[in-house]
């Protein structure tokens, strides 16, 4: 299947991987074990497959694997661990915003992209920014309140 | 009603939340064994056709193709895909593969191959000759004289004695009468007689269906599947592939949302057959399009409501006739349409009550279980009709509801008359705080400012609407849940349950119930749920049963374990169990003379004297299905120029008994509300003239996003349900039911347009305005 080898950095680790012609970044990442990246639609409409490519969030299902050649990819697995979760991971877990959890990796990575740019996004900014991340379980209410609390808490720290 | 709880009624963190947020491999699709084959289906392009011939040779010859299944090489076993208790009330009208296809998207054949690409190529290489038949594409055509018969195969049958006449495309019928509806209507001062149509929709779990199988080293079949009903999967797979149940193990990992669509054995039969035939791991994942077209939907139902009332607002007649479209197969056909009546008829008192539920086959996508389960469809009708009646009576619709709704201590003849495929179970209402839900919700939305639509002016007009709701908690005298608990050296407990957490947080809720009874922190409970080899039986996660039913099993089980703990502690302390008290993982002598920790007790029982494993197993069935109650309120703003609707605020006041975990109960409410709103305003199935769904993608089927979300206010109104664990009732389903009627009523209140069919698009509102002759 016209496999081609590309070099890229995934979660800080240099990798050399074979990619199929037309293979999506989503498919590649899941195939080599980064299963935190979820497939919800494979058509760019749900955000479950969100990853960070060269510092920007992308829908991995709409990105060809070869587009990541020479680039840096970050997935949810890179963000935190049990001992030291990312504040977003902790905030959503604490607030009851994680129901089935399937949308959550994408939601968190999208949220992180905004939070990296802006210290204290407003509700409207969050909603606009997370518009591409569908969640069917929570009605977004607890996700919003988790984000609000996180922003408030971080503001308090500064 | 506050009780002195230690663990229950507290918002402890959902036990799996952090692992999920970290992206750990917890779903079926994350655990696929290396080298698994990929399964793909060939779906029917026709709504109704006979398969004259199939040639699979070209497909089989493609390199990398391992197995092709079609009707010619699999057993023909009538069954239902509905994951319900055995014997199922759904007809046995489904075959793994059949010689006939009954909707666009029906199974024709399946391929297992080394890669998804090869599987797709093989599917394309299968040659099929169809004889296309005329199709039934609407509920009104299904039972007309001369309508094509969809299930003309001789071997479809109903497993239990219910009315089933496939020759007439009748998938199910149920009815009841109390008193005489016609007399009741004749004796009324005011009558409403209207029909309302709740449309097709899909559950849209963000994780589509996924399952894989493999043979374990001892030759047993293991299926890992995203299911709400692992034990039903095991039984139905055993039936379909003719393998003894003991040879099959079904494991349910985390599920990426279900909402009822995973209460269906949709793919596991083929995964099992492929795995057995190839002796290799086999994976099947639905695409989003397949999820829309070939899985299950909300049964579209047209409900005619006849309400008769005296001038003083008392009801003389309450009639409901439901016509349900079950699509090409009768999955949940009887029980969903029956639930239309059994959940919404008891809500209001009336002397003369009438109900019929008719489910017909069509050549359209198949209905199934969907959160709300019939009550969504009928509450749209009932709660719209209530407002129409109030308008005719010239009274406040809120007051009309207050005057007539059921209260604690009352019963309804409907409970006894309507069961699930058999007579129902009599019950009187225990806990009911509906009155309070109405008052609190009305206050929150500002009901007083509502006003008559005729007095509203200006381009942008606001309106407020409401709806009252009730559901159930489990299926009484049918559902069963079980749990087992064992104690470990460090004073922790393994809690093993058949109950199926589908993202709702039931593992957490049940752990809290266990911890409360055991007298320990929730962190001391290690939950393992849903593995048919390891955990006791449970019917599964449906019918709003898990907290109420499985929770009671956990509580009973924990209480048995506590007895054993006290017995051992008594030996250690030289006391009778009655002289001891437990809590905080310690047993104390009540007179303060001594104490032992749970860890010491466990070590003692495992290593020191009269060694034994402290542990127990318990089952529970229910004799009641205590309804949760809810009142929903919504404020909308309508642009009279364009018909565009803006949701300003949504209030859901819910009585779910004791909220075992208030945050999670709120989450259930908010998720249900939002799904209901999305259904009411945008979600719908569009079909071509030949019955093909034309908008089977998230691009064309609009789910509400965070940007679309209105302000949602949840009010938990506590009550104490004596028959439930620590006073709990259910909360998962009820709140999806409110948006259709509450928004319809709000639209009417804003601009005087009465919509009796969803979704309430700008176009429908605009057309309504035009029809009224309003300035447009
Ligand atoms: S899977 Fe990529 S957006 Fe849905
Ligand atoms: S938590 Fe289930 S989809 Fe968001």
């Amino acid at each position: 299947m016209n496999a081609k080898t590309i070099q890229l950095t995934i979660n800080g680790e240099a990798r050399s991987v074979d990619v199929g012609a037309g293979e999506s970044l989503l498919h590649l990442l899941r195939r080599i074990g980064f299963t935190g990246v979820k497939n919800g639609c494979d058509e760019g409409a749900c955000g479950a497959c969100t990853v960070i490519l060269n510092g920007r969030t992308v829908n991995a299902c709409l990105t060809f694997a070869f587009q990541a050649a020479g680039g840096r990819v970050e997935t949810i697995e890179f963000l935190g661990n049990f001992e030291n979760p990312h504040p977003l991971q902790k905030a959503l877990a604490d607030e009851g915003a994680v129901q089935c959890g399937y949308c959550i990796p994408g939601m968190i990575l999208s949220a992180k992209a905004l939070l990296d740019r802006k210290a204290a996004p407003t509700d409207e900014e969050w909603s606009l920014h997370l518009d591409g991340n569908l969640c069917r379980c929570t009605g977004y209410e607890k996700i919003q309140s988790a984000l609000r609390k996180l922003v408030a808490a971080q503001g308090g720290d500064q | 009603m506050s009780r002195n709880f230690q663990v229950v009624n507290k918002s402890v963190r959902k036990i799996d939340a952090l692992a999920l947020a970290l992206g750990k491999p917890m779903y079926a699709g994350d655990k696929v064994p290396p080298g698994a084959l990929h399964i793909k289906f060939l779906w029917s392009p026709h709504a109704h056709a006979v398969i004259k011939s199939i040639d699979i040779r070209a497909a089989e010859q493609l390199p990398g193709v391992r197995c092709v299944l079609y009707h010619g090489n699999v057993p023909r076993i009538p069954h239902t895909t509905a994951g319900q208790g055995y014997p199922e009330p759904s007809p046995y009208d489904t075959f793994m593969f059949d010689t006939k296809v009954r909707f666009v998207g029906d199974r024709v054949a399946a391929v297992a191959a080394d890669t998804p690409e090869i599987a797709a190529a093989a599917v394309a290489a299968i040659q099929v000759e169809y004889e296309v038949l005329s199709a039934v594409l609407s509920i009104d055509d299904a039972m007309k004289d001369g309508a094509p018969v969809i299930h003309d195969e001789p071997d479809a049958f109903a497993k239990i004695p219910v009315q089933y006449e496939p020759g007439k495309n009748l998938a199910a019928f149920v009815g009841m009468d109390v008193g005489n509806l016609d007399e009741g209507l004749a004796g009324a001062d005011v009558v409403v007689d209207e029909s309302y149509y709740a449309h097709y929709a899909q559950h849209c779990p963000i994780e589509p269906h996924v399952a894989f199988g493999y043979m374990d080293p001892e030759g047993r079949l293991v299926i890992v599947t995203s299911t709400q009903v692992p034990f039903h999967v095991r039984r139905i797979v055993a039936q379909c592939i003719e393998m003894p149940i003991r040879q099959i193990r079904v494991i349910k990992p985390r599920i990426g949302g279900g909402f009822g669509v995973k209460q269906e054995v949709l793919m596991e039969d083929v995964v099992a057959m492929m795995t057995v035939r190839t002796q290799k791991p086999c994976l099947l994942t639905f695409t989003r399009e397949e999820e829309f077209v070939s899985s299950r939907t909300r049964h579209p139902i047209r409900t005619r409501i006849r309400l008769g009332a005296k001038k003083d607002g008392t009801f003389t007649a309450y009639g409901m006739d439901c016509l349900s479209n079950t699509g090409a197969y009768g999955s949940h056909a009887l029980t969903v349409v029956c639930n239309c009546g059994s959940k919404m008829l008891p809500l209001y008192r009336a002397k003369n009550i009438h109900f019929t539920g008719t489910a017909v086959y069509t050549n359209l996508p198949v209905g199934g279980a969907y959160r709300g389960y019939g009550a969504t469809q009928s509450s749209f009708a009932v709660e719209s009709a209530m407002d129409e009646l109030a308008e005719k009576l010239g009274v406040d619709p809120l007051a009309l509801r207050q005057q007539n709704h059921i209260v604690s201590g009352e019963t309804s003849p409907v409970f006894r008359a309507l069961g699930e495929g058999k007579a129902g179970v009599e019950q009187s209402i225990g806990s009911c705080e509906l009155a309070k839900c109405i008052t609190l919700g009305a206050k929150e939305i500002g009901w007083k400012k509502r006003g008559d639509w005729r007095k509203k002016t200006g381009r942008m007009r606001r309106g407020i609407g409401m709806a009252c709701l009730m559901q159930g908690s489990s299926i009484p005298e049918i559902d069963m849940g079980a749990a087992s608990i064992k104690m470990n050296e460090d004073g922790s407990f393994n809690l093993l349950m058949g109950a199926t957490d589908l993202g709702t947080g039931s593992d957490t809720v049940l752990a809290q119930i266990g911890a409360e009874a055991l007298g320990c922190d929730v962190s001391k409970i290690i939950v393992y749920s849903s593995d048919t080899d390891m955990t006791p039986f449970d019917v599964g996660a449906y019918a709003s049963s898990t907290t109420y039913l499985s929770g009671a099993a956990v509580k009973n089980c924990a209480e048995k374990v506590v007895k054993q703990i006290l017995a051992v502690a008594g030996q250690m302390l030289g006391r009778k169990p009655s002289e001891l008290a437990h809590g905080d993982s310690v047993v104390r002598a009540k007179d303060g003379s001594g104490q032992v920790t749970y860890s010491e007790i466990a070590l003692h029982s495992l290593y020191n004297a009269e060694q034994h494993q402290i542990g127990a197993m318990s089952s529970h069935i229910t004799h009641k299905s205590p309804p949760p109650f809810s009142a929903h309120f919504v404020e909308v703003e309508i642009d009279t120029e364009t018909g565009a609707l803006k949701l300003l605020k949504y209030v859901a006041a819910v009585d779910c008994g004791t909220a075992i975990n208030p945050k999670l109960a709120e989450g259930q409410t908010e998720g249900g509300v939002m799904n209901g709103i999305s259904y009411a305003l945008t979600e719908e199935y569009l079909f071509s003239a030949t019955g093909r769904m034309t908008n089977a993608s998230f691009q064309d089927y609009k789910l509400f996003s965070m940007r679309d979300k209105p302000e949602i206010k949840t009010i938990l109104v506590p009550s104490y349900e004596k028959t439930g664990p620590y006073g709990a009732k259910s909360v998962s389903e009820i709140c999806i039911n409110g948006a259709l009627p509450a928004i319809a009523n709000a639209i009417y209140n804003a601009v005087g347009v009465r919509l009796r069919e969803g979704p309430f698009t700008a176009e429908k509102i605009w057309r309504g305005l035009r029809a009224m002759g309003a300035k447009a």
Side-chain angles (χ1 to χ4, degrees), chain A residues 26 38-50 59-62 132, chain B residues 698:
Chain A
L26 167 62
K38 300 300 178 206
N39 182 351
C41 69
D42 222 4
E43 59 181 16
C46 77
C49 64
T50 303
N59 285 330
C61 69
L62 291 186
Chain B
F698 279 161

Side-chain angles (χ1 to χ4, degrees), chain A residues 1 27 31, chain B residues 32-40 59 62-67 111-122 278 280-283:
Chain A
M1 278 245 153
H27 187 251
R31 181 164 63 76
Chain B
V32 183
L37 303 178
H38 296 262
I39 302 173
K40 284 221 179 291
L62 281 178
V65 171
R66 304 293 168 176
C67 185
V111 173
D114 291 351
T115 69
E117 293 76 22
I118 299 173
T278 62
K280 284 182 193 299
C282 290
L283 167 69

Side-chain angles (χ1 to χ4, degrees), chain B residues 205-514:
Chain B
I206 305 299
E207 174 202 49
H209 281 79
V210 51
F212 65 87
Y214 62 92
M215 304 305 295
D216 81 4
E218 273 121 51
R220 290 172 75 232
L221 170 65
V222 182
I223 302 168
V224 180
T225 175
S226 180
T227 185
Q228 297 172 224
V229 286
F231 286 89
H232 295 332
V233 169
R234 182 177 66 168
R235 174 174 45 79
I236 293 172
V237 165
Q239 177 191 4
C240 290
I241 69 167
E242 300 180 298
M243 188 184 240
I245 281 186
R246 65 180 174 277
Q247 287 292 335
I248 304 171
R249 174 180 180 188
V250 176
I251 299 171
K252 174 223 74 106
R254 295 291 98 191
I255 306 178
F259 317 110
V261 77
K262 291 171 182 169
Q263 194 199 331
E264 200 78 16
V265 186
L266 260 189
M267 46 163 52
E268 292 91 342
D269 59 331
V270 167
V271 170
M273 191 57 118
M274 289 290 195
T275 306
V276 170
R277 290 265 168 100
T278 62
Q279 294 288 303
K280 284 182 193 299
C282 290
L283 167 69
L284 179 45
T285 310
F286 270 0
T287 63
R288 183 52 59 187
E289 182 182 5
E290 289 171 328
E291 191 67 31
F292 275 115
V293 176
S294 298
S295 80
R296 295 293 178 259
T297 65
R298 184 179 293 291
H299 288 89
I301 296 179
R302 187 195 301 132
T303 302
R304 178 185 181 193
I305 298 290
R306 282 176 284 175
L307 275 178
K310 290 286 194 192
K311 279 205 191 77
D312 67 3
T314 33
F315 287 2
T316 57
Y318 184 3
M320 182 190 292
D321 296 279
C322 299
L323 179 58
S324 170
N325 174 5
T326 191
Y329 296 93
S331 175
H332 299 271
L334 172 70
T335 40
V336 163
V337 83
C338 184
N339 240 37
C340 289
S342 61
K343 294 294 181 274
M344 281 306 282
L345 284 171
L347 182 54
Y348 299 111
R349 288 179 288 265
K351 281 214 183 62
N352 302 289
I353 306 171
H354 161 85
F355 174 70
T356 64
T358 308
V360 296
Y361 286 123
T362 63
N363 294 111
L364 288 167
V366 184
Y370 189 161
R371 195 178 203 178
Y373 204 84
T376 310
Q377 292 92 323
S378 65
S379 57
F380 174 36
V382 171
E383 290 302 296
S384 298
M386 285 295 287
D387 266 42
E388 299 206 50
L389 184 68
E391 169 106 3
K392 285 196 177 179
L393 285 166
V395 300
D396 181 356
L398 184 146
L400 185 66
R401 288 176 172 88
Q402 283 174 323
Q403 182 184 350
N404 289 289
H405 76 70
I406 195 166
V407 297
S408 186
E410 285 183 320
T411 184
S412 163
V414 177
F415 290 128
R416 185 161 32 90
L418 292 178
E420 295 233 324
K422 58 181 191 185
V425 178
E426 208 162 332
Q427 66 170 345
S428 64
I429 298 296
S431 57
C432 175
E433 293 290 354
L434 179 55
K436 215 174 185 176
C437 291
I438 295 174
T439 322
L440 293 175
K443 192 158 170 240
E444 178 69 33
I445 202 79
W447 184 261
K448 283 210 184 97
K449 69 179 179 218
R450 189 167 163 269
D452 191 299
W453 66 270
R454 291 170 194 84
K455 303 209 175 90
K456 296 183 183 177
T457 52
R459 174 172 167 177
M460 311 303 277
R461 294 184 200 171
R462 292 188 171 190
I464 293 179
M466 74 168 294
C468 289
L469 310 166
M470 76 177 248
Q471 196 84 26
S473 307
S474 81
I475 312 172
E477 298 183 358
I478 291 184
D479 284 350
M480 194 281 270
S484 78
I485 296 175
K486 73 178 169 67
M487 191 177 197
N488 302 312
E489 287 104 314
D490 61 350
S492 67
F493 300 89
N494 291 103
L495 169 59
L496 298 144
M497 307 176 294
T500 309
D501 190 336
L502 57 148
T504 49
S506 68
D507 280 357
T508 307
V509 163
L510 298 182
Q512 285 179 264
I513 291 173

Side-chain angles (χ1 to χ4, degrees), chain B residues 7-19:
Chain B
V7 192
V8 151
N9 201 220
K10 307 237 181 316
S11 293
V12 307
R13 184 205 262 178
K14 190 162 163 288
I15 55 180
D16 52 352
L18 187 57

Side-chain angles (χ1 to χ4, degrees), chain B residues 497-751:
Chain B
M497 307 176 294
T500 309
D501 190 336
L502 57 148
T504 49
S506 68
D507 280 357
T508 307
V509 163
L510 298 182
Q512 285 179 264
I513 291 173
E516 183 74 37
L518 287 164
C520 67
D521 190 77
V522 75
S523 63
K524 299 283 166 53
I525 311 272
I526 307 153
V527 178
Y528 185 66
S529 69
S530 302
D531 174 334
T532 58
D533 265 16
M534 301 294 170
T535 63
F537 181 87
D538 192 289
V539 286
Y542 56 84
S544 286
S545 65
T546 305
T547 300
Y548 182 72
L549 167 79
S550 311
V554 170
K555 182 165 179 275
N556 299 344
C557 187
E559 283 164 355
K560 284 191 198 171
V561 172
V562 167
K563 276 204 183 110
Q564 298 174 31
I565 290 173
L566 292 178
V568 175
Q571 280 173 9
M572 295 169 73
L573 293 167
R575 298 277 163 178
K576 289 203 225 83
S578 60
E579 296 166 346
L580 303 171
H582 74 290
D584 296 327
S585 291
V586 171
V587 176
R588 293 179 183 82
K590 286 180 189 162
D591 62 8
S593 64
Q595 65 170 52
V596 281
T597 66
Y598 278 14
S599 175
E600 288 162 347
I601 294 167
L603 285 165
H604 186 84
S605 74
L606 290 169
Y607 299 107
N608 292 358
E610 290 177 39
Q611 281 117 302
H612 67 285
Q613 169 72 63
I614 293 178
M617 183 183 291
S618 271
S619 318
H620 190 68
I621 68 159
T622 62
H623 301 286
K624 280 184 75 172
S625 178
F629 293 93
S630 191
H632 287 200
F633 294 82
V634 63
E635 181 167 24
V636 303
E637 182 177 82
I638 294 187
D639 183 338
T640 51
E641 298 275 320
T642 64
L645 177 150
K646 191 164 166 216
L647 270 185
L648 301 173
K649 183 168 180 172
Y650 197 106
V651 179
V654 202
D655 159 18
C656 62
T658 302
I660 301 291
N661 184 316
K663 237 178 212 166
L664 296 182
E666 285 168 15
Q668 285 303 302
T669 305
E670 292 150 3
V673 161
M674 195 62 169
N675 189 331
I677 291 173
S678 190
Y679 174 50
L681 295 184
T682 63
E683 295 179 35
E684 65 179 324
Y685 272 47
L686 303 173
F687 292 103
S688 74
T690 52
R692 188 175 58 82
M693 185 187 182
T694 56
N695 62 329
S697 94
F698 279 161
Q699 317 274 4
D700 302 315
Y701 181 103
K702 163 73 180 160
L703 252 54
F704 262 38
S705 71
M706 193 182 287
R707 185 141 67 125
D708 307 312
K709 189 185 94 59
E711 181 189 351
I712 298 177
K713 172 83 183 166
T714 300
I715 306 171
L716 297 180
V717 181
S719 68
Y720 195 90
E721 173 55 40
K722 285 202 195 82
T723 64
Y726 301 111
K729 300 187 280 190
S730 80
V731 71
S732 57
E733 293 189 82
I734 183 166
C735 286
I736 201 171
N737 302 337
L740 265 180
I743 296 174
N745 291 337
I747 294 170
Y748 184 81
N749 180 243
V751 293

